[in-house]
């Protein structure tokens, strides 16, 4: 693969900045989740929170998240515009989006009760579920303003990335985690050991919601000074909705938001079935974060640098290079995700025990969450691979195709949920999502094949099959080593469990590194050489 050194250095530099910032944010996100697990286990406060957080959390990820549709649309539009055009455009988009989301916020507060009943109808069928429902309704009312904040955050982060500022958007979730951790510390100091008592479930739930809202407010506030200094817009209302830039942004933003919103219907479908399974929502949240921690770091490293490149290569004369970039992004996805996926499945139980098992979170909870984690881990590659292909379509200015694929997936996800939940319980809900992502990825690859005049399937499949084979070997090896260590060390004590996790993990990664080095993939050689040069400076 031939690339200019300048472009490669730019990619590596951006990826390094994003990776370090995202790593810090994800570490604190994991600490936040550990604090929640220690305080509430899989009890009613955390179960309610996972239902109440569905809508505001979805909006924060969808609209305010890095690589979300707002972020992608803003980057795609601003990357092509002159400096003097940016400030009025950002302020106009902010005015338009903010007005719409203000009404959404009010609606969430007014209709909190029917919203929770819609998300989790199974809660009203048991006394425990009724308690969870009451807590969830109050939590949703508190977190409703996150609808407005999510749009403002997404527009700001997209603007900062378009201006080649990557550190702040990637590090910003840290502030959200710190706010929630601080809230839990205050609650623990106030209640002491009584924090785990059932009579304080409502208070705990309200503190969770308040801390989450405070974190979203901080995420928005920290971006404002950087935007003002860089001429990316101020807190100024503009109503010139007819300017061409607004149409360019909306052309990508609306279908991209609808497309990503279709995923939320899949999440709702999962929680619909989960509401009939005690503790399923909490288990899915805990295991989901363990997958999202490495996934989020690596996805930002891949998607953030590549999205502007995809946008600049939309002209048919640039399609040969675009195909190379798609191959590079997918190969990097496979190199990182496939071995992690294999290790996540093989080492699920010790992973959960090391991360969560303390205080209110016991061994029974670990075993339950580990089964769900194995299902999540099996789909890490297709999750990120699908996102890469969606960004290719966004870069081509096409938000309609991912939207249509997402509509098809709604029905597919509901069907798979119904089939697999009966066969596997809570893990079946996650396996349904994995199946949907796999089919989505295949569909979008085929559509890109038709649109770009053919993709080199044979050239792309050889390294991919080699990486799959290597990952299977790594997973089996880690599984055998883990079983041997359990026989030798037993399964009690934090350090024994840590060894049962770390030794197979490090050996597995080492074996995979040797395997990949023998494959002589250009993506690996290219990035390793650039990283070495960076450290030698």
């Amino acid at each position: 693969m031939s690339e200019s050194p300048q472009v490669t250095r730019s990619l590596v530099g951006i990826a390094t900045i994003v990776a370090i910032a995202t790593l810090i944010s994800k570490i604190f996100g994991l600490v936040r989740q550990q604090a929640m697990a220690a305080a509430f286990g899989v009890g009613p406060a955390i179960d309610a929170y996972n239902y109440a957080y569905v809508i505001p959390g979805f909006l924060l990820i969808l609209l305010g998240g890095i690589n979300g549709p707002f972020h992608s649309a803003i980057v795609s539009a601003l990357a092509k515009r002159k400096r003097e055009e940016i400030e009025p455009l950002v302020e106009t988009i902010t005015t338009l989006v903010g007005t719409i989301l203000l009404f959404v916020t009010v609606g969430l507060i007014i209709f909190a009760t029917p919203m929770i009943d819609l998300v989790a109808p199974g809660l009203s069928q048991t006394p425990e579920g009724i308690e969870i429902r009451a807590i969830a309704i109050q939590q949703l009312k508190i977190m409703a303003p996150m609808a407005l904040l999510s749009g403002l955050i997404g527009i700001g982060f997209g603007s900062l990335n378009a201006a080649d500022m990557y550190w702040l958007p990637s590090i910003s979730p840290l502030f959200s985690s710190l706010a929630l951790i601080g809230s839990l510390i205050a609650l623990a100091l106030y209640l002491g050991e009584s924090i785990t008592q059932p009579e304080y479930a409502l208070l705990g739930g309200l503190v969770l919601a308040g801390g989450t809202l405070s974190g979203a407010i901080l995420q928005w506030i920290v971006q404002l000074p950087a935007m003002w200094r860089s001429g990316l817009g101020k807190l100024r209302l503009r109503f010139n909705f007819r300017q061409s830039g607004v149409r360019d942004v909306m052309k990508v933003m609306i279908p991209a938001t609808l497309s990503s919103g279709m995923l939320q219907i899949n999440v709702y479908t999962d929680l619909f079935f989960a509401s009939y399974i005690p503790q399923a929502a909490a288990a899915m949240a805990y295991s989901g974060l363990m997958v999202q921690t490495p996934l989020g770091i690596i996805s930002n490293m891949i998607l953030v640098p590549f999205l502007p490149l995809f946008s600049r290569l939309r002209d048919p004369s640039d399609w040969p290079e675009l195909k190379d970039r798609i191959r590079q992004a997918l190969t990097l996805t496979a190199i990182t995700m496939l071995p992690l996926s294999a290790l996540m499945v093989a080492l699920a139980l010790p992973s959960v025990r090391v991360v969560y098992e303390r205080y209110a979170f016991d061994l029974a909870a670990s075993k339950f969450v580990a089964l769900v984690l194995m299902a999540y881990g099996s789909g890490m590659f297709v999750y990120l691979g699908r996102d890469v292909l969606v960004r290719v379509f966004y870069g081509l200015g096409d938000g309609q195709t991912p939207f249509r694929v997402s509509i098809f997936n709604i029905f597919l996800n509901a069907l798979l949920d119904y089939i697999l939940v009966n066969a596997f319980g809570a893990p079946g809900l996650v396996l349904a999502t994995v199946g949907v992502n796999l089919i989505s990825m295949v569909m979008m690859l085929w559509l890109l094949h038709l649109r770009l005049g053919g993709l080199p399937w044979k050239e792309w499949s050889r390294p991919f099959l080699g990486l799959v084979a290597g990952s299977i070997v790594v997973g089996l090896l880690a599984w055998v080593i883990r079983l041997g260590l359990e026989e030798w060390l037993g399964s009690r004590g934090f350090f024994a469990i840590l060894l049962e996790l770390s030794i197979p993990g490090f050996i597995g990664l080492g074996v995979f590194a040797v395997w990949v080095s023998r494959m002589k993939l250009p993506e690996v050689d290219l990035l390793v050489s650039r990283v070495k040069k960076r450290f030698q400076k």
Side-chain angles (χ1 to χ4, degrees), residues 57 77 115 130 132 143 168 293 302 321 324 342 481 500 505 536:
M115 287 287 184
I130 292 172
I132 293 171
M143 293 188 289
L168 182 59
T293 297
I302 294 174
E321 184 179 352
D324 285 342
I481 295 174
E500 293 165 8
Q536 289 171 358

Side-chain angles (χ1 to χ4, degrees), residues 18 83 98 150 215 230 238 298 382 387 411 439 482 497:
V18 172
R83 191 77 177 182
S150 61
S230 305
R238 287 184 186 264
I298 296 168
V382 293
D387 271 3
F411 300 99
I439 294 172
R482 174 203 148 196
I497 301 170

Side-chain angles (χ1 to χ4, degrees), residues 270-534:
D270 293 345
L271 288 174
F272 176 91
F273 286 100
S275 67
Y276 294 93
I277 304 174
Q279 304 175 342
M284 291 168 67
Y286 287 130
S287 56
L289 182 71
M290 291 185 65
V291 169
Q292 289 296 330
T293 297
L295 191 59
I297 296 170
I298 296 168
S299 68
N300 284 351
M301 288 176 60
I302 294 174
L303 297 180
V304 171
F306 275 98
L307 178 57
L309 287 176
F310 294 153
S311 300
R312 293 166 191 155
L313 298 172
R314 66 173 63 185
D315 190 89
S317 63
D318 295 321
W319 284 357
E321 184 179 352
L322 176 61
K323 294 177 187 179
D324 285 342
R325 292 297 184 181
I326 296 171
R327 175 192 184 275
Q328 186 179 36
L330 289 177
T331 303
L332 290 172
T333 299
I335 290 171
T336 52
M337 289 292 100
L338 288 174
L340 286 179
S341 182
L343 291 174
M344 192 72 74
V345 172
L347 306 175
L349 182 58
S351 298
V352 173
R353 298 192 69 185
V354 166
V355 173
Y356 292 127
E357 194 174 301
R358 53 191 60 87
Y359 300 109
F361 201 101
D362 57 15
L363 179 59
S366 293
K367 291 180 178 179
F368 185 52
V369 173
L371 291 174
V372 181
L373 179 60
M374 293 176 71
Y376 266 119
S378 66
M380 294 176 73
F381 169 73
V382 293
Y383 182 95
L384 183 52
R386 174 198 170 278
D387 271 3
V388 168
L389 298 177
V390 167
R391 268 55 184 192
V392 175
F393 282 103
Y394 291 168
L396 292 170
D398 178 8
Q400 294 292 333
T401 298
F403 175 61
R404 295 190 185 103
V405 172
S406 297
I407 290 177
F408 168 77
N409 288 337
I410 292 174
F411 300 99
L412 178 63
N413 185 70
L415 176 63
L416 292 179
D417 271 344
Y418 178 76
I419 295 172
L420 296 179
V421 75
N422 290 321
F424 302 105
L429 298 175
V430 179
L431 291 174
T433 302
V434 173
V436 167
N437 286 331
L438 173 61
I439 294 172
S440 297
M441 187 175 174
V442 172
M443 290 174 66
M444 283 189 281
L445 273 172
W446 180 250
L447 292 171
L448 281 174
H449 172 77
L450 298 176
R451 179 162 185 168
L452 300 179
L455 297 176
W457 297 106
K458 185 178 293 185
E459 177 188 341
W460 288 13
S461 61
R462 288 173 181 170
F464 175 73
L465 292 175
L467 293 170
V468 169
S471 299
I472 292 173
V473 170
V474 164
L476 292 174
L477 179 63
W479 182 280
V480 171
I481 295 174
R482 174 203 148 196
L483 292 178
L485 288 172
E486 284 183 356
E487 287 290 328
W488 179 36
L489 299 174
S491 298
R492 293 186 179 181
F494 176 81
F495 289 104
I497 301 170
L498 183 61
L499 289 175
E500 293 165 8
L501 170 65
S502 57
I503 292 176
F506 282 123
I507 292 176
L509 290 176
V511 169
F512 189 78
V514 174
W515 186 287
V516 169
S517 66
R518 297 296 182 91
M519 294 179 65
K520 303 197 178 296
L521 297 172
E523 289 80 7
V524 175
D525 296 337
L526 189 62
L527 290 178
V528 168
S529 66
R530 295 303 175 185
V531 171
K532 285 182 178 178
K533 287 182 180 180
R534 176 168 292 272

Side-chain angles (χ1 to χ4, degrees), residues 16-31:
T16 302
I17 292 170
V18 172
I20 294 173
T22 307
L23 175 61
I24 296 171
S25 296
K26 290 296 182 180
I27 289 173
F28 276 88
L30 190 58
V31 172

